Amino acid sequence: MSAFTLTRQLPLDATTAALRADAAVGLTANPKWLPPKWFYDARGSELFEEITRLPEYYPTRAERAILDHVASDIAAATGARTLVELGSGSSEKTRLLIGALREHGTLATYLPIDVSESALEQAGRALLVDYPGLNVHGLVADFQAGLSLPDSEAPRLLAFLGGTIGNLRPAERAAFLNAVRTALGPDDALLLGTDLVKDERVLVAAYDDAAGVTAEFNKNVLSVLNRELEADFALDDFDHVALWDREQEWMEMRLRARRPLTVKVPALDLKVDFARGEEIRTEVSAKFREAGVRRELAAAGMELAHWWTDPEGRFALSLARPAR
């Protein structure tokens, strides 16, 4: 018999408290910044789904192409009884892994982790319909605030897809990978999706599409602040900016003020002044090379066991295990 269960590790007001804290610190910093997780309210999630279908935005298609090709190899290599996914969202690409592991005859439980209870509920119940006999245990948690996995049957495969690890700065990545290593048992494995370094023009186009969808997505963070913190950002006062940092090898998204202005954020009793041309950094998205991924995994006590890319070498999936 299949079953869907849900466990909440976050207090009900945790999201609001985190947004208030991030906005208070980020909007008073120099330079100003906001974390990319605040893009993703209902409208932001819709916009991101639209972005994944744009001709310029290759990562989703490239990662799916890899999974289409190697999901059965991943199932055979891991024999996972439990599939854990961080930041699962709609769990769409994960269906390829679930299908392969089920065909391999090992998967008993899917454990998606996300801050959105509604996303977990919707995706989890849909999976029960499509995969009879699968147990789905959703976990409402923020893995960036600490990774604590519930007891589950080994071996486990922990999947972190979509290149989301690129949103973490180097020190944050190191802390995250160390937490993953601590959570993994000796027979468990990490499946990691990483976007790769490539031609700057391809990268910039992926974050600044001709239709302007990414620009709307970027500005959506201001709409979130307006709604949740009673701010009075005028979205037309800001331009979307996408830049490639060659030295750090990451993309940055920013919002640039078109004129001098002052924004009020009553929920924080805050007034934020902007000079003309002043920016808020809203996202960092690091791009990787195989040697760098191998090095970062090794520093966290893991060994790179498999490395797969799409035919054009745009994106990679890597399978890592605890070092013995």
Side-chain angles (χ1 to χ4, degrees):
M1 287 289 291
S2 57
F4 174 77
T5 56
L6 193 71
T7 300
R8 172 175 281 279
Q9 286 187 348
L10 291 176
L12 287 172
D13 63 349
T15 300
T16 300
L19 175 60
R20 291 173 64 96
D22 285 342
V25 175
L27 292 177
T28 57
N30 185 21
K32 296 176 173 65
W33 57 269
L34 290 167
K37 64 183 178 182
W38 301 120
F39 291 137
Y40 296 97
D41 64 350
R43 178 56 181 156
S45 297
E46 289 174 359
L47 286 168
F48 184 72
E49 288 301 313
E50 189 175 342
I51 287 169
T52 65
R53 297 188 291 269
L54 293 170
E56 298 97 330
Y57 195 80
Y58 60 85
T60 302
R61 290 188 298 275
E63 186 176 46
R64 186 179 182 93
I66 302 169
L67 281 170
D68 270 328
H69 188 62
V70 304
S72 59
D73 295 335
I74 294 168
T78 62
R81 296 283 297 165
T82 302
L83 173 61
V84 182
E85 185 175 13
L86 303 180
S88 56
S90 63
S91 302
E92 282 303 311
K93 281 179 292 192
T94 319
R95 288 170 175 265
L96 296 170
L97 287 172
I98 291 173
L101 287 164
R102 294 264 289 179
E103 187 172 333
H104 191 64
T106 58
L107 186 67
T109 302
Y110 173 52
L111 204 164
I113 301 175
D114 202 278
V115 295
S116 171
E117 182 172 340
S118 60
L120 289 171
E121 180 97 22
Q122 183 176 351
R125 296 200 179 279
L127 288 170
L128 291 188
V129 174
D130 295 339
Y131 300 98
L134 179 68
N135 292 309
V136 181
H137 182 169
L139 186 62
V140 183
D142 183 357
F143 61 85
Q144 291 188 42
L147 184 60
S148 176
L149 301 181
D151 291 338
S152 51
E153 191 175 358
R156 297 178 299 180
L157 174 60
L158 192 155
F160 192 31
L161 303 176
T164 309
I165 193 168
N167 293 146
L168 305 179
R169 306 290 284 270
E172 294 171 326
R173 288 202 303 270
F176 167 76
L177 290 173
N178 276 305
V180 168
R181 173 61 188 92
T182 299
L184 294 182
D187 297 320
D188 297 339
L190 167 68
L191 182 66
L192 184 64
T194 48
D195 197 5
L196 301 180
V197 174
K198 59 184 65 65
D199 187 282
E200 178 179 345
R201 292 166 295 181
V202 175
L203 287 164
V204 172
Y207 289 80
D208 193 12
D209 61 277
V213 182
T214 311
E216 186 179 350
F217 175 69
N218 194 8
K219 292 184 181 185
N220 189 64
V221 72
L222 303 181
S223 297
V224 171
L225 296 181
N226 287 348
R227 184 183 64 249
E228 301 296 332
L229 301 181
E230 306 167 35
D232 63 354
F233 282 97
L235 274 58
D236 288 343
D237 281 340
F238 292 86
D239 287 320
H240 164 67
V241 178
L243 298 172
W244 170 242
D245 186 320
R246 294 182 184 88
E247 182 178 346
Q248 300 291 342
E249 293 192 327
W250 64 42
M251 283 296 303
E252 286 195 17
M253 290 209 309
R254 304 175 186 176
L255 292 169
R256 179 179 294 158
R258 292 178 174 175
R259 61 181 180 86
L261 56 97
T262 298
V263 174
K264 298 183 183 69
V265 189
L268 301 178
D269 192 23
L270 185 65
K271 291 183 179 180
V272 185
D273 293 324
F274 289 87
R276 182 177 183 275
E278 188 174 357
E279 297 172 337
I280 310 171
R281 189 191 69 232
T282 53
E283 182 176 73
V284 166
S285 184
K287 309 305 171 187
F288 296 87
R289 302 176 189 270
E290 181 180 355
V293 173
R294 187 183 298 274
R295 186 167 55 249
E296 292 191 33
L297 289 168
M302 290 182 279
E303 294 177 340
L304 181 61
H306 296 278
W307 176 266
W308 299 284
T309 69
D310 63 295
E312 296 177 51
R314 300 168 297 176
F315 199 94
L317 283 179
S318 53
L319 189 70
R321 297 186 179 277
R324 299 183 184 276

